[in-house]
């Protein structure tokens, strides 16, 4: 397969199903190169890591969207993500990120351990002998945890789950008209919900993240809403995919599952290797703000760069024998959470959820096994399953 064919395959259902052979071909072609449509693709671990931190590269922000899609504000799903910190650049990004980081602290995340364990235990206890792991566990856990953090009542969780799922599609480069319509509706409904929640917390603050963010005077009203929606959406399907992908990896490797069951303290290394081996987020996009020199190659202002996180994580120059799952490999530092200014704000929470969930699942359901062919969600950016059939005897 030549590299052009390999690159094209990533935009087909078959290529998305298993993009790793194509990544190998395009990485072997070059650590970065310009495709026929003018976009640059970056494949090596070293260069992806470096460019994530490159100040000359920016996220596409509201001003960029005004240029290439004047009507974007009318789709409230798109608008909530574009107005969030994910698609904002300095100086606004610096201010908003600082406010969010000051409330979403390591202490607050560490304080969630018992809540995560309690929710995970309840879900495992109520999982039937034959179940779809995605709907029984991988979807409800992250939504339950983020709702607890934001102070959203338990009864509203299913409602949030559907809205978050509908909105997530805006993170993909390709979507249907109907998907975009649902994202718009979800955006409107979430904005309304958070407007009410913020007003309630301003009247009577609680110990939750919504109260803390609402009290922070550094955010405008629109920024507050957009970033509350982002916290819900950014941490939802991503963490769901980490749980589903990770469980499949473990159940297909009983000897590794047995090691983790016997030594739950191995969980951090296992979770890092799961993140590396099959990243829940496969790419990050950036634009050159000004002419940029990358290893002697001139990149024109306005050029789009696609940083292939999934390809970087399987770069043999960084990880020998990269297609082998090996939690004992030294120095696992996947780029699955991005890097630089936009480094995932929720990484400690996602890691904690997975580190708590896998040992609990293996301990409480020692005979858990795969019970049918998992079905992948056909997406390029967010990689995971729609169904993962499991069984216990
Ligand atoms: C940003 C991945 C879970 C909140 C990012 C980015 C990646 C990522 C790759 C950077 C995107 C870019 O540079 O363009 C993941 C993965 C997760 C996960 C793989 C789970 C396994 C979470 C959770 C939350 C969260 C649980 C919060 C509850 C955010 C936020 C940003 C972000 C707020 C934007 C940061 C900024 O722009 O400064 N995430 N994420 N993520 N993530 Fe996550």
């Amino acid at each position: 397969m030549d590299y052009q064919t390999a690159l094209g395959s990533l935009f087909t259902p078959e290529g998305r199903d298993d993009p790793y052979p194509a990544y190998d071909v395009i990485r072997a072609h070059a650590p970065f190169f310009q495709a026929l449509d003018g976009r640059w693709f970056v494949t090596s671990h070293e260069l992806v890591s470096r460019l994530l931190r490159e100040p000359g590269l920016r996220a596409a922000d509201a001003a960029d969207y005004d240029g290439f899609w004047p009507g974007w504000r009318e789709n409230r799903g798109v608008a909530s993500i574009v107005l969030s910190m994910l698609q904002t650049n300095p100086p606004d990004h610096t201010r908003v990120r600082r406010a969010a980081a000051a409330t979403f602290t390591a202490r607050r995340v560490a304080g969630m351990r018992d809540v995560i364990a309690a929710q995970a235990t309840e879900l495992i206890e109520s999982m039937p002998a034959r179940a779809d792991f995605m709907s029984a566990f991988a979807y409800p856990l992250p939504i339950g945890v983020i709702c607890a953090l934001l102070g959203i009542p338990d009864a509203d969780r299913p409602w949030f789950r559907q809205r978050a799922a509908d909105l997530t599609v805006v993170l993909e480069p390709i979507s249907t008209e109907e998907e975009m319509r649902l994202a718009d509706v979800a955006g409107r409904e979430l904005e309304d919900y958070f407007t009410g929640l913020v007003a309630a917390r301003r009247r009577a603050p609680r110990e939750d993240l919504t109260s803390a963010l609402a009290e922070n005077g550094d955010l405008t009203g629109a920024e507050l809403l957009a970033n509350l929606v982002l916290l819900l959406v950014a941490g939802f399907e991503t963490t769901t995919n980490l749980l589903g992908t990770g469980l499949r990896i473990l159940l297909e490797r009983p000897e590794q599952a047995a090691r983790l069951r016997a030594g739950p303290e191995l969980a951090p290394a296992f979770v890092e290797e799961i993140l590396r081996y099959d990243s829940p987020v496969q790419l990050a996009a950036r634009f050159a703000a000004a002419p940029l020199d990358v290893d002697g190659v001139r990149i024109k202002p306005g050029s789009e760069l696609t940083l292939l996180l999934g390809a970087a994580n399987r770069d043999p120059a960084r990880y020998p024998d990269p297609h082998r799952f090996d939690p004992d490999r030294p120095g696992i530092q996947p780029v699955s959470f991005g890097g630089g200014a936009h480094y995932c704000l929720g990484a400690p929470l996602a890691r904690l959820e997975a580190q708590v969930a896998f040992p609990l699942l293996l301990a409480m359901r020692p005979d858990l096994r795969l019970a049918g062919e998992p079905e992948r969600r056909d997406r390029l950016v967010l990689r995971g399953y729609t169904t993962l059939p499991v069984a216990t005897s």
Side-chain angles (χ1 to χ4, degrees), residues 104-126:
F104 200 172
T105 56
R107 206 161 133 233
R108 192 183 285 274
V109 171
M112 292 302 288
R113 182 178 277 274
D114 290 349
V115 173
I116 296 169
Q119 289 197 15
T121 302
E122 207 183 305
L123 290 168
I124 299 168
E125 277 169 355
S126 43

Side-chain angles (χ1 to χ4, degrees), residues 52 59 84-88 93 97 100 104 142 146 149 209 227 230-243 275 279-286 307 309 335-351 353-354 382:
L52 281 167
S84 77
M85 72 182 106
L86 185 65
Q87 311 240 179
T88 305
H93 178 265
R97 167 100 189 191
F104 200 172
I146 194 67
L149 254 174
L209 199 53
N227 284 291
L230 177 70
L231 285 176
L232 176 72
V233 173
F236 173 44
E237 203 150 315
T238 47
T239 314
T240 295
N241 291 344
L242 169 60
L243 295 171
L275 284 161
S279 179
V281 177
Q282 288 283 308
L283 60 85
R286 293 289 186 274
L307 311 179
L309 308 176
V335 287
S336 312
F337 291 118
H342 290 278
Y343 179 76
C344 176
L345 188 65
L349 181 65
R351 287 188 163 118
E353 287 183 43
L382 298 185

Side-chain angles (χ1 to χ4, degrees), residues 282-368:
Q282 288 283 308
L283 60 85
R286 293 289 186 274
F287 290 82
L292 184 71
D293 190 302
V294 177
D295 296 341
V297 177
R298 190 122 175 116
I299 300 200
K300 284 199 217 137
S303 303
E304 181 178 348
L305 284 84
T306 300
L307 311 179
L308 291 172
L309 308 176
N313 283 342
R314 297 257 192 129
D315 182 350
R318 177 66 176 76
Y319 300 108
D321 199 1
H323 302 304
R324 195 162 62 89
F325 177 79
D326 176 10
D328 298 323
R329 57 174 80 242
I332 312 174
Q333 283 174 322
V335 287
S336 312
F337 291 118
H342 290 278
Y343 179 76
C344 176
L345 188 65
L349 181 65
R351 287 188 163 118
L352 186 61
E353 287 183 43
Q355 290 167 10
V356 169
F358 292 128
L360 264 180
L361 278 158
L362 295 173
M364 290 176 66
R365 296 290 178 111
D367 58 350
L368 193 66

Side-chain angles (χ1 to χ4, degrees), residues 195-239:
T195 303
L197 191 66
V198 165
R201 293 301 188 268
R202 284 207 169 119
R203 281 194 302 273
R206 294 195 192 165
E207 281 301 300
D208 56 41
L209 199 53
T210 307
S211 304
L213 276 169
E215 276 169 15
N216 188 301
D218 288 345
L219 301 184
T220 65
E223 285 170 348
L224 178 59
L225 285 186
N227 284 291
L228 283 167
V229 173
L230 177 70
L231 285 176
L232 176 72
V233 173
F236 173 44
E237 203 150 315
T238 47
T239 314

